[in-house]
Amino acid sequence: NSNSSVLNKRCFSNEVEKVSLYGSIYMNEIKKNGIIPVVKHFPGHGITKLDSHYFLPYVFNYKKVLGSEIIPFENAINEECDAIIIRKLSGLLPCSISKKFITKYLRERYNYNGLVITDDLRMKLVDLIYGKISLKKAFLSGSDVILLKYKENDEKIFNMLYKYANSKKVIDNINECVLRIINIKERYKISNSVYFDNLEFDNINYDIKKFNDIIWCCKIFVKKLKLLYFIVKYCYNLLISVENKLEVI
């Protein structure tokens, strides 16, 4: 979708057939090199214009989504993709936290038994509208991996996750999720015995935050620079106009 600010430079093509072809080649080459490829964003993001990092895209034309937009994902599933990220396409609930969508549609309709991963539940509008409820919904939806941007003083969130994980409603789901994760780890020979010493996560998170702050400041600066340019241009045109009128007088 060339009209999408978030997707126009992140896709193989705006043609479904090319996306299917190049996506499958890319996925299989990654697998050959021992890297787990993650296909996203199911069932398709190209039909929308809104940036889901800040907004909640809503699609009324589900026939188009399920008719053409979903074809690259069907091909990926047929070629045994290992993991899929669910997008926050909104119906009554965003797909990423909808049990009906994940269980009934993705798993049962396509007989998909790979990993299901949510998009970040703390992206702006989802976090604002659903808040902590999105975590509970994600647990109940059948997602295997829940992405949640870490914030300082998140102890309450961890306690909530622990509480959900030990509830009777989700214990069967969690057991199934663990089995799927173990299967993937065995397939790619990922061992729990590998440890990385001297990793200081607080420093890493600080550096990431600092980098993001710099990017944000740069974006603000560019926006203000553009605004200044339009103001100067307007004033210049205004002066030219006044000068022309004075010459006529």
Side-chain angles (χ1 to χ4, degrees), residues 224-239:
K224 288 187 176 181
L225 201 61
K226 286 182 178 179
L227 179 61
L228 180 62
Y229 167 76
F230 285 118
I231 291 172
V232 171
K233 186 177 180 181
Y234 174 78
C235 292
Y236 173 77
N237 290 333
L238 186 63
L239 285 172

Side-chain angles (χ1 to χ4, degrees), residues 91-105:
L92 295 176
L93 273 178
C95 295
S96 53
I97 57 175
S98 168
K99 182 176 181 179
K100 181 178 180 180
F101 183 83
I102 293 172
T103 304
K104 300 291 184 183
Y105 189 75

Side-chain angles (χ1 to χ4, degrees), residues 192-241:
N192 289 337
S193 62
V194 178
Y195 295 95
F196 297 92
D197 297 326
N198 302 321
L199 280 180
E200 298 179 359
F201 292 105
D202 289 337
N203 290 339
I204 293 172
N205 288 329
Y206 174 78
D207 289 340
I208 292 171
K209 182 179 183 303
K210 190 176 179 181
F211 181 72
N212 287 333
D213 288 342
I214 292 171
I215 292 175
W216 178 256
C217 289
C218 289
K219 286 181 177 180
I220 296 296
F221 176 74
V222 169
K223 286 181 180 179
K224 288 187 176 181
L225 201 61
K226 286 182 178 179
L227 179 61
L228 180 62
Y229 167 76
F230 285 118
I231 291 172
V232 171
K233 186 177 180 181
Y234 174 78
C235 292
Y236 173 77
N237 290 333
L238 186 63
L239 285 172
I240 295 296
S241 176

Side-chain angles (χ1 to χ4, degrees), residues 9 15 20 42 49 57 61 77 82 91 96 103 108 112 118 120 131 138 162 182 191 203 212 215 218 221 233 240 246:
K9 295 180 180 179
E15 298 176 26
S20 294
F42 186 87
K49 296 180 181 179
N61 190 356
I77 291 170
D82 296 305
S96 53
T103 304
E108 293 182 4
Y112 175 71
T118 71
D120 182 12
Y162 182 79
I182 290 173
S191 173
N203 290 339
N212 287 333
I215 292 175
C218 289
F221 176 74
K233 186 177 180 181
I240 295 296
L246 289 174

Side-chain angles (χ1 to χ4, degrees), residues 26-39 79-83 114-115 180-192 194:
Y26 190 76
M27 180 185 77
N28 289 319
E29 289 301 314
I30 286 177
K31 290 170 76 172
K32 288 178 184 177
N33 286 277
I35 301 170
I36 304 173
V38 180
V39 178
E79 295 191 21
E80 300 182 349
C81 70
D82 296 305
L115 293 182
R180 281 190 284 265
I181 292 170
I182 290 173
N183 287 336
I184 291 290
K185 292 176 73 173
E186 288 178 346
R187 191 177 306 161
Y188 286 86
K189 299 178 181 178
I190 300 171
S191 173
N192 289 337
V194 178

Side-chain angles (χ1 to χ4, degrees), residues 135 139 148 156-166:
L135 268 177
F139 260 98
L148 189 72
K156 290 182 179 179
I157 295 295
F158 295 139
N159 291 334
M160 186 186 303
L161 292 174
Y162 182 79
K163 183 179 178 181
Y164 288 154
N166 285 277

Side-chain angles (χ1 to χ4, degrees), residues 8-193:
N8 58 2
K9 295 180 180 179
R10 298 173 65 193
C11 298
F12 288 112
S13 171
N14 59 357
E15 298 176 26
V16 173
E17 295 77 13
K18 288 184 179 179
V19 173
S20 294
L21 175 62
Y22 300 150
S24 294
I25 293 171
Y26 190 76
M27 180 185 77
N28 289 319
E29 289 301 314
I30 286 177
K31 290 170 76 172
K32 288 178 184 177
N33 286 277
I35 301 170
I36 304 173
V38 180
V39 178
K40 66 176 189 176
H41 302 78
F42 186 87
H45 204 316
I47 197 173
T48 65
K49 296 180 181 179
L50 294 177
D51 185 345
S52 56
H53 296 90
Y54 305 100
F55 304 99
L56 188 58
Y58 196 102
V59 171
F60 295 96
N61 190 356
Y62 270 88
K63 287 185 178 180
K64 184 174 181 180
V65 174
L66 302 180
S68 60
E69 299 289 316
I70 206 168
I71 290 175
F73 298 96
E74 290 177 339
N75 292 340
I77 291 170
N78 290 335
E79 295 191 21
E80 300 182 349
C81 70
D82 296 305
I84 290 177
I85 285 184
I86 307 293
R87 64 167 291 196
K88 290 185 290 295
L89 177 67
S90 183
L92 295 176
L93 273 178
C95 295
S96 53
I97 57 175
S98 168
K99 182 176 181 179
K100 181 178 180 180
F101 183 83
I102 293 172
T103 304
K104 300 291 184 183
Y105 189 75
L106 175 57
R107 292 219 181 272
E108 293 182 4
R109 176 171 176 173
Y110 291 101
N111 196 29
Y112 175 71
N113 199 37
L115 293 182
V116 170
I117 305 172
T118 71
D119 219 338
D120 182 12
L121 298 182
R122 273 189 166 151
M123 286 187 185
K124 302 293 183 181
L125 205 57
V126 171
D127 191 28
L128 179 65
I129 296 174
Y130 297 98
K132 295 177 182 178
I133 296 174
S134 63
L135 268 177
K136 186 175 181 180
K137 292 289 186 184
F139 260 98
L140 296 174
S141 69
S143 297
D144 301 302
V145 180
I146 298 172
L147 296 187
L148 189 72
K149 182 181 179 181
Y150 174 78
K151 291 182 179 179
E152 294 181 8
N153 303 317
D154 256 349
E155 289 82 4
K156 290 182 179 179
I157 295 295
F158 295 139
N159 291 334
M160 186 186 303
L161 292 174
Y162 182 79
K163 183 179 178 181
Y164 288 154
N166 285 277
S167 66
K168 292 180 180 179
K169 289 184 178 180
V170 299
I171 194 67
D172 290 336
N173 285 348
I174 289 178
N175 288 336
E176 292 176 4
C177 294
V178 170
L179 286 175
R180 281 190 284 265
I181 292 170
I182 290 173
N183 287 336
I184 291 290
K185 292 176 73 173
E186 288 178 346
R187 191 177 306 161
Y188 286 86
K189 299 178 181 178
I190 300 171
S191 173
N192 289 337
S193 62

